[in-house]
Amino acid sequence: MKSAESTSTWGATLAGAALAFWLPGVLHAAQPPADADPGVTSQATHAQADCAALSGQLVGNIVLSATTMPAKSDIPAYCRITGTIAPSLNFEIRFPEAWNRKLYYGGGGGYNGFISPPVAAPLRQGYVEVVSDSGHQGDGMSASFVLNDELAARLFGSEAIPEVMSIALKVVAKAYGVPPVRSYFEGCSTGGREALMAVQRNPALFDGVIARAPAFNWAGFNGAFHRIAVALSVPGAEFNAAKIALLARHVRQACDHLDGVIDGIVANPAACTTRRVNLAALRCSSGKDNGEHCLSDAQLAVVNQWITDVKFQGSNTYVAKGYNLTGNEDDPMNFGVWVSGNGDLKAAGQYVMQDAAVKYYLAKDESADSLAYGPWDKNPAVLDAMAKLNDATDPDIRSFIRHGGKLIVWQGGADAALSVNSTIEYVKQMRQAVGAKNADQSTRLYIAPGVNHCEGGVGPDHVDLLSALDHWISRGAEPGTLMSQKLDESGKVLRALPLCRYPQYPRYTGPKHDAAAINSSSNYVCANP
């Protein structure tokens, strides 16, 4: 589940200028921009630090290493600070050329184990950027670190971010002489789980948090992955590209027009009911696989399990909501990559994640066959232990709200990795726990139609949530409808849609049969389902 870099949505390239750092602890006076944050003094705005002078410095018992990094592609020049919190929690802090007195912590991905590359936009906007490997080193899709390292398991679960943050604040103060005036966190997938974990368990750590496609329900989500993997392992249940394309076309034919335009995006999922889709119409007459024009009973069983809720029992009930059929299942980074493995089940992202969960959290045996493990909740105690470490499902975030925190939750409507319905259900539970007034004043939920897990898909996937969060906190500008864009590799805008506050969706109101009009956000309104 993806890293902050792979989920970043930032725009055009900034030409690199030479770094010019000043002495540590000394702020370089500069005039603030016209729209400067009123909470940032003119003296502190555009502060710069001496990169070379930070190398070898001690923060506690941590030795810092500093390197000046030249501009590359769309990443501006910056000062890279690295260090290790013993025994093995590696972190990296990136100082921009000119500091805006704010800090941006970028979340991890998968099972972490690596330092995410720089994210362009925060550095361009003047943020100090912080990342870590969460306390172990690996390929990002293995949880082997859990088996014999209790500390690494706890750090991955919830403890790495507050540990690194405590050091990062000291390093920033050493470099600039003052701490940041505001600190924000943004992450997707595992990073989204880390975002909600911080909100729930360390409510005073960040002023604002962006949780993208959060993998917050480790026990429930991995149980759902396991259920689907077992269903796909039945002979005749495999989905090759032709079968996936058949399913996607069927859904689009039933539901694409329900948002006012046929454009490959089912933007009004509430109207795309199971009755309207009528999966039974795809059944092969014999129930067996008769070719590319139909689905076998085993394949239909996979789809039906995919779209239905599932519950598992421990000391709590772990629920994973079903997925929507979106008509985008045939996108190259959708159903085939995450669910079916394009005919090779063990290559599917969900299979890999649940396999690691079985081997290292539940069975505690790296030779265990996850497909033979079951039922998922056969040992409630180990399921509870995994959830205690990794789940961020507590809906009561009143402590975060009382601290003044703001939360933005975002997810792609065509996410095949994590069910958007689970995210919606969490936000509903959160609203009930904190009250509608608190929720409206401090939280937002956005669903991006046609967008895959964290990024990509046929829908516009680029939106600057960081600026929306900062303006909300710094200026009191409450985010409403935002703008999402689809960009080509050069940064050219191919399409734009309004990003509506849930439960609204973008409904087309423009001229019929006009391809250019379909691509313009001005021809859509945010409508209730």
Side-chain angles (χ1 to χ4, degrees):
M1 296 174 187
K2 295 197 171 186
S3 68
E5 165 64 11
S6 66
T7 63
S8 59
T9 57
W10 318 116
T13 299
L14 178 69
L19 280 172
F21 291 106
W22 294 77
L23 293 175
V26 177
L27 298 176
H28 174 55
Q31 291 299 316
D35 62 346
D37 181 343
V40 179
T41 65
S42 61
Q43 181 188 19
T45 303
H46 294 254
Q48 295 176 319
D50 186 341
C51 190
L54 288 169
S55 195
Q57 293 278 336
L58 284 174
V59 175
N61 60 355
I62 300 169
V63 181
L64 303 180
S65 177
T67 306
T68 298
M69 304 300 293
K72 183 178 180 181
S73 184
D74 65 338
I75 305 297
Y78 65 96
C79 173
R80 183 178 70 188
I81 306 295
T82 59
T84 301
I85 303 171
S88 58
L89 174 51
N90 298 316
F91 64 85
E92 187 166 308
I93 305 171
R94 298 149 184 161
F95 290 125
E97 290 185 276
W99 188 36
N100 65 6
R101 284 289 309 275
K102 300 167 192 173
L103 180 148
Y104 171 94
Y105 199 127
Y111 279 106
N112 289 340
F114 57 92
I115 298 290
S116 299
V119 182
L123 286 173
R124 287 206 306 266
Q125 295 174 23
Y127 286 88
V128 164
E129 187 177 306
V130 181
V131 293
S132 89
D133 62 9
S134 84
H136 66 276
Q137 293 73 52
D139 66 8
M141 294 301 280
S142 171
S144 59
F145 64 93
V146 171
L147 201 55
N148 299 304
D149 193 337
E150 180 183 350
L151 175 59
R154 295 202 320 270
L155 288 169
F156 171 75
S158 65
E159 295 179 10
I161 289 167
E163 284 280 337
V164 171
M165 191 63 176
S166 67
I167 298 301
L169 292 174
K170 293 175 183 177
V171 174
V172 169
K174 179 179 284 288
Y176 296 117
V178 291
V181 293
R182 291 185 184 86
S183 297
Y184 303 139
F185 185 97
E186 180 176 18
C188 193
S189 198
T190 289
R193 180 189 68 87
E194 292 169 338
L196 291 183
M197 191 71 81
V199 167
Q200 296 166 21
R201 300 195 189 186
N202 304 100
L205 198 58
F206 297 102
D207 300 290
V209 168
I210 301 167
R212 293 178 181 255
F216 66 98
N217 180 6
W218 217 251
F221 287 169
N222 276 290
F225 300 166
H226 178 262
R227 181 177 73 152
I228 293 297
V230 170
L232 279 161
S233 69
V234 172
E238 302 89 353
F239 271 79
N240 59 21
K243 295 286 188 174
I244 297 171
L246 171 68
L247 174 64
R249 286 196 305 270
H250 182 77
V251 176
R252 289 196 297 269
Q253 289 168 3
C255 298
D256 191 355
H257 65 284
L258 299 176
D259 51 22
V261 63
I262 297 175
D263 61 350
I265 299 176
V266 177
N268 184 9
C272 190
T273 62
T274 55
R275 182 176 180 179
R276 180 181 290 275
V277 173
N278 187 22
L279 286 172
L282 291 175
R283 182 179 184 268
C284 298
S285 58
S286 66
K288 297 180 180 180
D289 192 344
N290 292 335
E292 298 178 357
H293 66 283
C294 63
L295 298 181
S296 69
D297 285 346
Q299 290 161 345
L300 285 171
V302 169
V303 179
N304 281 311
Q305 287 199 16
W306 165 256
I307 64 176
T308 56
D309 301 350
V310 61
K311 296 181 180 180
F312 307 101
Q313 295 303 322
S315 60
N316 299 304
T317 299
Y318 303 107
V319 179
K321 304 292 288 184
Y323 291 72
N324 293 330
L325 289 170
T326 64
N328 301 134
E329 289 79 13
D330 56 351
D331 184 273
M333 296 302 295
N334 200 273
F335 190 90
V337 165
W338 285 106
V339 185
S340 71
N342 290 310
D344 180 5
L345 172 58
K346 293 187 177 181
Q350 290 186 355
Y351 172 87
V352 173
M353 294 302 292
Q354 65 82 35
D355 188 62
V358 169
K359 283 177 165 62
Y360 302 111
Y361 286 101
L362 304 184
K364 300 185 186 302
D365 178 0
E366 60 185 356
S367 67
D369 179 0
S370 61
L371 293 177
Y373 184 91
W376 185 253
D377 50 5
K378 70 178 184 180
N379 189 340
V382 296
L383 197 62
D384 289 341
M386 181 173 69
K388 184 178 180 180
L389 280 170
N390 298 329
D391 277 13
T393 54
D394 184 358
D396 188 354
I397 63 168
R398 283 177 292 180
S399 293
F400 176 74
I401 292 173
R402 283 194 293 266
H403 169 65
K406 307 295 185 186
L407 170 66
I408 296 177
V409 180
W410 173 100
Q411 190 159 350
D415 192 333
L418 299 172
S419 170
V420 70
N421 293 319
S422 286
T423 301
I424 291 168
E425 180 62 24
Y426 170 76
V427 172
K428 287 180 178 177
Q429 293 177 6
M430 179 269 292
R431 289 182 64 85
Q432 292 177 347
V434 307
K437 182 178 179 181
N438 278 333
D440 287 340
Q441 291 177 344
S442 302
T443 71
R444 291 290 186 270
L445 171 60
Y446 295 97
I447 307 299
V451 175
N452 289 338
H453 184 58
C454 295
E455 64 178 355
V458 296
D461 58 345
H462 286 228
V463 57
D464 186 358
L465 295 180
L466 179 59
S467 291
L469 180 70
D470 182 47
H471 294 167
W472 193 6
I473 292 170
S474 300
R475 308 175 190 175
E478 297 186 2
T481 300
L482 303 178
M483 178 67 68
S484 57
Q485 298 176 325
K486 189 72 175 176
L487 308 178
D488 65 14
E489 293 182 357
S490 70
K492 178 184 176 181
V493 178
L494 301 176
R495 186 174 185 187
L497 281 177
L499 183 62
C500 306
R501 286 183 59 183
Y502 182 83
Q504 292 190 321
Y505 72 93
R507 182 168 185 83
Y508 184 70
T509 56
K512 295 181 179 180
H513 312 299
D514 187 330
I518 289 173
N519 291 330
S520 173
S521 63
S522 64
N523 290 310
Y524 295 81
V525 297
C526 288
N528 291 318

